[in-house]
Amino acid sequence: MSRGNTHQRIQDVALELFVAQGYDKTSLREIAERLGVTKAALYYHFKTKEDILLSIFDAANRPVTELIEWGREQPRTLETKKEILRRYSDVLHRAQPLFRFMQENQATIRDLSLGDQMKKRMLGLSDLLVEPDAALVDRVRAATSLFTMHAGTFALRGLEDDPEERREAVLTVAHEMITAAHHGE
Amino acid sequence: MSRGNTHQRIQDVALELFVAQGYDKTSLREIAERLGVTKAALYYHFKTKEDILLSIFDAANRPVTELIEWGREQPRTLETKKEILRRYSDVLHRAQPLFRFMQENQATIRDLSLGDQMKKRMLGLSDLLVEPDAALVDRVRAATSLFTMHAGTFALRGLEDDPEERREAVLTVAHEMITAAHHGE
Amino acid sequence: MSRGNTHQRIQDVALELFVAQGYDKTSLREIAERLGVTKAALYYHFKTKEDILLSIFDAANRPVTELIEWGREQPRTLETKKEILRRYSDVLHRAQPLFRFMQENQATIRDLSLGDQMKKRMLGLSDLLVEPDAALVDRVRAATSLFTMHAGTFALRGLEDDPEERREAVLTVAHEMITAAHHGE
Amino acid sequence: MSRGNTHQRIQDVALELFVAQGYDKTSLREIAERLGVTKAALYYHFKTKEDILLSIFDAANRPVTELIEWGREQPRTLETKKEILRRYSDVLHRAQPLFRFMQENQATIRDLSLGDQMKKRMLGLSDLLVEPDAALVDRVRAATSLFTMHAGTFALRGLEDDPEERREAVLTVAHEMITAAHHGE
DNA sequence: AATGAATGAGGATTCATTCAT
DNA sequence: TATGAATGAATCCTCATTCAT
């Protein structure tokens, strides 16, 4: 029953606590206690606290990477762009906790090497949505279509609706933005 | 010239460091050292570390409060809404460091009583931009117009342009969103 | 009664424990407990554990530095060399614990920046005792005269005598060596 | 080819690291990693960390024991004493790393039961070089002749010469000391 | 002959905070 | 208006060691 799943469990509990309290305010003691293991056990599985976080990221980042790769092979039509946003919406919703964590702990992430990784990923996505030499307004539109989806997933929880409905609304707005950006070109 | 302005200087240095490294990773020792005073001196001026942060917020929040109050007295026309976004853009740019800090330290802010304050402020603004019973899409549009401006101020720094130009582009896009939201109603 | 003498007391107790158990095996907890203070108190007075050690060295190294300076201004006669050894013997006996510590913790000292310091000091002394271009045997003799005194102070405690007598015997032998080295030149 | 020689390899790597970094600062993890095995594997071959060190000593100590035994059977002439120093020089140079380790980690060795062992060995050697009831100066001379050789092997590396030449010079000086001690009797 | 998983004890260090002066 | 001295609690991390497999 202890078949290498401790590794997993650490990641799960860690993410849970990181999301609930922030990375800095979550101590390894806490993680260990929740798991019913010693702090030292964590260090058997991960070299550092940062390492735990990185490993979680790696797992959750794969879908985004795949999405970017997929996008690169598509024709750069409006329909493609919409599909990308659709898929990104999916990814976001599937790994909600992680993305919420990223949104709320930017300061921490910045100095954790993750900063660059994330920036690159975002730029990679952006590049699929507008030509780099597009008009400034259009580039803002494209970026905004992405941000809308992030914001819509985490920050708009005030609009206490059926989450699925909200998700669709957000996607609609994002599509509008990308459509405008596309025609601007 | 050093008459009671230590209070000020503490706030300034603190904000600077909070922005640069995050709240959690900034220690009182650091702040004190930069100022050439003792940690204990900080405690003469502020009751706790959190207090320093709160005092900074209070100062920077007044403009937003004023904006909301002003908005409440205006007719709810599209032109008013645009003006609100224009003014909010101003506020954002004038207090950039603080808002950037808020953006990057959401996790910290959340448990610091500031969370609620901020949420209320955002909702206050939102309420000026859409009726609470508007269609979901329109509410998303309104929220997005605000988020766009936040994102545009901090996160879009990759689009290395003349900042003034960028600010205008962002405002343009925000205006588009609020216009759409307004007509949807 | 708490007049800045804690700094002193820390150095004293630390040296005592470092000598008795070695640097690595002496924990800050131990030092603090012996002093009836908190570990944190140590950190108020010294930046790191290494810092405590360094501060002790600085204090004890001054006499050696002075001796070297004095030696540089003397004529390079045999009598001068003997006087140097005599004075060095004094220094050694006055700061016995520290020198014993150095002798027994060379491995530790090596990576603690102290290594170089010590090497330089020994070479400085050596240079007063032989010309750098003297015959190899004579250089060995000079070096040995110094080592004899170190060994004689700490390692020869087996020869359970009156320490003062032993010290004189050691000095005699050292003098013989330096005499031989001097005539060899 | 990997038949039971792991035992050996552990000793080799351990000594190498002990010499390079000191006993305390060398962890079993490090040793294991260098060997490409698990820490647990070390425990298959040795009961404790200390055990590894002891086993290394045992191997290297035999020659000294043999030298002492040989010395006991010889007539106590000056020539014998010189020969003992000559042979000791050999032993020292053959097991340089180990002896260097002992020199630099005396503090550690002291509490590791090795302390007594070493002390006895040194006294055993000493006893071959002077009568226990000789004049104090002569006993100091004898002890010094031994220390010279230790110092000459490790600490005099500053005198960057041909090592073989240096070794001879050191032996010459040691011989002088023992000669003086012999005639003093 | 060796591994994978874990532990318990302890290490140095940092932090926000307090209080007498 | 500040400082000097100190604390208590917590932090991340490392280590030698164990044991079932």
Side-chain angles (χ1 to χ4, degrees):
Chain A
M1 200 252 227
S2 67
R3 270 240 67 79
N5 70 339
T6 294
H7 201 89
Q8 247 314 337
R9 289 172 61 224
I10 292 175
Q11 292 180 115
D12 293 347
V13 169
L15 179 53
E16 191 181 331
L17 290 175
F18 288 166
V19 169
Q21 330 177 336
Y23 177 81
D24 293 305
K25 254 143 11 217
T26 301
S27 70
L28 294 186
R29 180 178 47 73
E30 237 174 324
I31 299 178
E33 256 164 26
R34 267 251 236 197
L35 283 164
V37 276
T38 331
K39 269 180 291 169
L42 303 186
Y43 280 93
Y44 175 75
H45 292 281
F46 299 91
K47 271 213 319 238
T48 70
K49 185 185 179 186
E50 187 173 340
D51 230 58
I52 300 182
L53 186 54
L54 289 176
S55 83
I56 298 176
F57 265 74
D58 280 351
N61 255 339
R62 210 153 309 144
V64 181
T65 311
E66 283 168 15
L67 174 53
I68 293 178
E69 276 163 12
W70 177 88
R72 290 223 174 99
E73 295 162 1
Q74 304 312 116
R76 306 179 127 280
T77 65
L78 177 55
E79 195 36 55
T80 298
K81 294 176 182 175
K82 285 184 169 174
E83 177 63 17
I84 287 171
L85 289 178
R86 224 172 276 126
R87 292 185 179 205
Y88 192 56
S89 172
D90 264 18
V91 171
L92 242 44
H93 279 264
R94 244 195 284 282
Q96 262 210 48
L98 182 71
F99 283 97
R100 182 170 170 212
F101 169 79
M102 283 168 37
Q103 171 106 157
E104 295 188 336
N105 291 267
Q106 295 175 42
T108 300
I109 287 176
R110 213 195 321 142
D111 349 297
L112 241 49
S113 85
L114 287 175
D116 288 331
Q117 259 185 254
M118 289 316 304
K119 204 160 257 177
K120 268 174 203 151
R121 223 140 287 222
M122 284 313 259
L123 289 180
L125 265 180
S126 261
D127 285 351
L128 299 176
L129 299 177
V130 257
E131 320 302 325
D133 60 344
L136 178 56
V137 204
D138 287 324
R139 279 180 288 140
V140 170
R141 279 185 185 118
T144 298
S145 74
L146 287 172
F147 274 105
T148 297
M149 284 178 25
H150 277 265
T153 313
F154 316 112
L156 291 184
R157 250 172 322 211
L159 320 179
E160 206 114 21
D161 313 283
D162 169 25
E164 200 46 46
E165 246 184 281
R166 190 176 71 220
R167 188 180 155 192
E168 267 168 41
V170 166
L171 195 51
T172 302
V173 174
H175 275 176
E176 280 170 17
M177 309 235 47
I178 208 54
T179 303
H182 187 76
H183 291 325
E185 281 170 344
Chain B
M1 200 249 225
S2 67
R3 271 252 72 84
N5 70 339
T6 295
H7 201 88
Q8 247 312 340
R9 288 172 61 224
I10 293 175
Q11 293 181 113
D12 293 347
V13 169
L15 179 52
E16 190 182 330
L17 291 175
F18 287 167
V19 169
Q21 329 178 334
Y23 177 81
D24 292 305
K25 258 144 12 220
T26 301
S27 70
L28 294 187
R29 177 174 51 68
E30 240 174 323
I31 298 177
E33 254 165 28
R34 272 252 229 186
L35 283 165
V37 283
T38 324
K39 268 183 291 175
L42 303 185
Y43 280 89
Y44 177 79
H45 292 281
F46 298 92
K47 262 199 352 215
T48 71
K49 185 186 179 185
E50 189 173 340
D51 231 57
I52 300 181
L53 186 54
L54 290 176
S55 82
I56 297 176
F57 265 75
D58 281 351
N61 255 340
R62 208 150 314 141
V64 181
T65 312
E66 283 168 15
L67 174 53
I68 294 179
E69 276 162 12
W70 177 87
R72 288 222 174 100
E73 295 162 1
Q74 303 313 114
R76 306 179 127 282
T77 66
L78 176 55
E79 196 37 55
T80 297
K81 294 176 182 175
K82 286 183 170 175
E83 178 61 18
I84 288 172
L85 289 179
R86 225 172 275 126
R87 292 187 179 204
Y88 192 56
S89 173
D90 265 17
V91 170
L92 241 44
H93 280 264
R94 246 195 284 283
Q96 261 211 49
L98 182 71
F99 282 98
R100 184 170 168 211
F101 170 80
M102 284 167 38
Q103 171 107 157
E104 294 188 337
N105 291 268
Q106 296 174 42
T108 301
I109 287 176
R110 209 190 330 139
D111 349 299
L112 241 49
S113 83
L114 287 175
D116 289 331
Q117 259 184 255
M118 289 316 303
K119 205 160 254 176
K120 269 174 201 150
R121 224 142 288 220
M122 283 313 259
L123 289 181
L125 264 179
S126 260
D127 285 352
L128 300 177
L129 298 177
V130 258
E131 320 303 326
D133 61 343
L136 178 55
V137 204
D138 288 324
R139 279 180 288 139
V140 171
R141 280 184 185 120
T144 299
S145 73
L146 287 173
F147 273 106
T148 298
M149 284 178 23
H150 277 266
T153 313
F154 316 113
L156 291 184
R157 249 170 325 206
L159 318 179
E160 206 115 20
D161 311 284
D162 170 24
E164 201 45 46
E165 247 186 280
R166 190 176 70 218
R167 188 180 155 191
E168 268 169 41
V170 166
L171 196 52
T172 302
V173 174
H175 276 176
E176 281 171 19
M177 310 235 47
I178 209 54
T179 302
H182 187 76
H183 291 326
E185 282 169 340
Chain C
M1 199 251 227
S2 67
R3 272 239 66 80
N5 70 337
T6 295
H7 201 89
Q8 243 321 330
R9 289 173 61 224
I10 292 175
Q11 293 181 114
D12 294 346
V13 170
L15 179 53
E16 191 181 330
L17 290 176
F18 288 166
V19 170
Q21 329 179 336
Y23 176 81
D24 293 305
K25 255 148 2 221
T26 300
S27 71
L28 294 186
R29 180 178 50 72
E30 239 175 322
I31 299 178
E33 255 165 26
R34 268 252 236 197
L35 283 164
V37 275
T38 329
K39 270 182 289 172
L42 304 185
Y43 280 92
Y44 176 75
H45 292 280
F46 298 91
K47 270 212 320 237
T48 72
K49 184 185 179 187
E50 188 174 340
D51 229 59
I52 300 182
L53 185 55
L54 289 176
S55 83
I56 298 176
F57 265 75
D58 280 352
N61 254 340
R62 208 150 314 143
V64 181
T65 311
E66 283 167 16
L67 173 53
I68 293 179
E69 275 162 13
W70 178 86
R72 288 220 176 101
E73 295 162 2
Q74 303 312 116
R76 305 178 128 279
T77 65
L78 175 56
E79 195 37 54
T80 297
K81 294 176 182 176
K82 285 184 170 175
E83 178 63 17
I84 288 172
L85 289 177
R86 223 172 276 127
R87 292 185 179 206
Y88 192 57
S89 172
D90 264 17
V91 170
L92 242 43
H93 280 265
R94 245 195 285 282
Q96 262 209 49
L98 182 71
F99 282 97
R100 184 172 168 210
F101 169 79
M102 284 168 38
Q103 172 107 157
E104 294 188 337
N105 290 268
Q106 296 174 41
T108 299
I109 287 176
R110 211 191 327 138
D111 347 297
L112 241 50
S113 85
L114 287 176
D116 289 331
Q117 259 183 256
M118 288 318 302
K119 204 161 255 175
K120 267 174 203 152
R121 223 141 287 221
M122 283 314 258
L123 289 181
L125 264 180
S126 259
D127 286 350
L128 299 177
L129 298 176
V130 256
E131 321 301 325
D133 60 344
L136 179 55
V137 205
D138 287 324
R139 280 180 289 140
V140 170
R141 278 183 185 120
T144 298
S145 74
L146 287 172
F147 274 104
T148 298
M149 283 178 22
H150 277 266
T153 314
F154 316 113
L156 292 183
R157 248 168 326 204
L159 318 180
E160 208 114 21
D161 312 283
D162 169 24
E164 199 45 47
E165 248 187 279
R166 191 178 69 220
R167 186 180 155 191
E168 267 170 42
V170 166
L171 196 52
T172 302
V173 174
H175 276 176
E176 281 171 18
M177 309 234 48
I178 208 53
T179 303
H182 186 77
H183 291 327
E185 281 170 343
Chain D
M1 198 248 228
S2 68
R3 271 250 73 84
N5 69 341
T6 295
H7 201 88
Q8 251 305 347
R9 289 174 60 227
I10 292 175
Q11 293 180 115
D12 294 346
V13 169
L15 178 53
E16 191 182 328
L17 290 176
F18 288 167
V19 170
Q21 329 178 335
Y23 177 80
D24 292 305
K25 257 145 8 215
T26 301
S27 70
L28 294 187
R29 178 175 51 70
E30 238 174 323
I31 298 176
E33 254 164 29
R34 271 252 229 185
L35 283 165
V37 282
T38 326
K39 267 182 293 172
L42 304 184
Y43 280 90
Y44 177 79
H45 292 280
F46 297 92
K47 262 200 348 216
T48 70
K49 183 185 180 186
E50 189 173 340
D51 231 57
I52 299 181
L53 185 55
L54 290 176
S55 83
I56 297 175
F57 266 75
D58 281 352
N61 254 341
R62 208 152 312 141
V64 181
T65 312
E66 283 167 16
L67 173 53
I68 294 178
E69 276 162 12
W70 177 87
R72 289 223 174 98
E73 295 161 0
Q74 304 310 118
R76 308 180 125 281
T77 66
L78 176 56
E79 197 36 56
T80 297
K81 294 177 182 175
K82 284 184 170 175
E83 178 63 16
I84 287 171
L85 289 178
R86 225 173 275 126
R87 294 187 177 205
Y88 191 56
S89 173
D90 264 17
V91 170
L92 241 43
H93 280 264
R94 246 195 284 283
Q96 262 210 47
L98 182 71
F99 282 98
R100 184 171 168 211
F101 169 79
M102 283 168 37
Q103 171 106 155
E104 294 188 335
N105 291 267
Q106 295 175 42
T108 300
I109 287 176
R110 211 193 324 140
D111 350 296
L112 240 50
S113 84
L114 287 174
D116 289 332
Q117 259 184 256
M118 289 316 304
K119 203 159 256 176
K120 268 175 201 149
R121 223 142 286 222
M122 284 312 260
L123 289 181
L125 263 180
S126 260
D127 285 351
L128 299 178
L129 299 176
V130 257
E131 321 302 325
D133 61 342
L136 178 56
V137 205
D138 287 325
R139 279 180 288 137
V140 171
R141 280 186 183 117
T144 298
S145 74
L146 286 172
F147 274 105
T148 298
M149 282 177 27
H150 277 265
T153 313
F154 316 113
L156 291 184
R157 250 172 322 208
L159 319 179
E160 205 115 20
D161 312 282
D162 169 26
E164 200 45 46
E165 246 185 280
R166 190 177 72 219
R167 187 178 155 193
E168 268 169 41
V170 167
L171 195 52
T172 303
V173 174
H175 276 175
E176 281 171 17
M177 309 237 44
I178 208 55
T179 304
H182 187 78
H183 290 326
E185 282 169 341

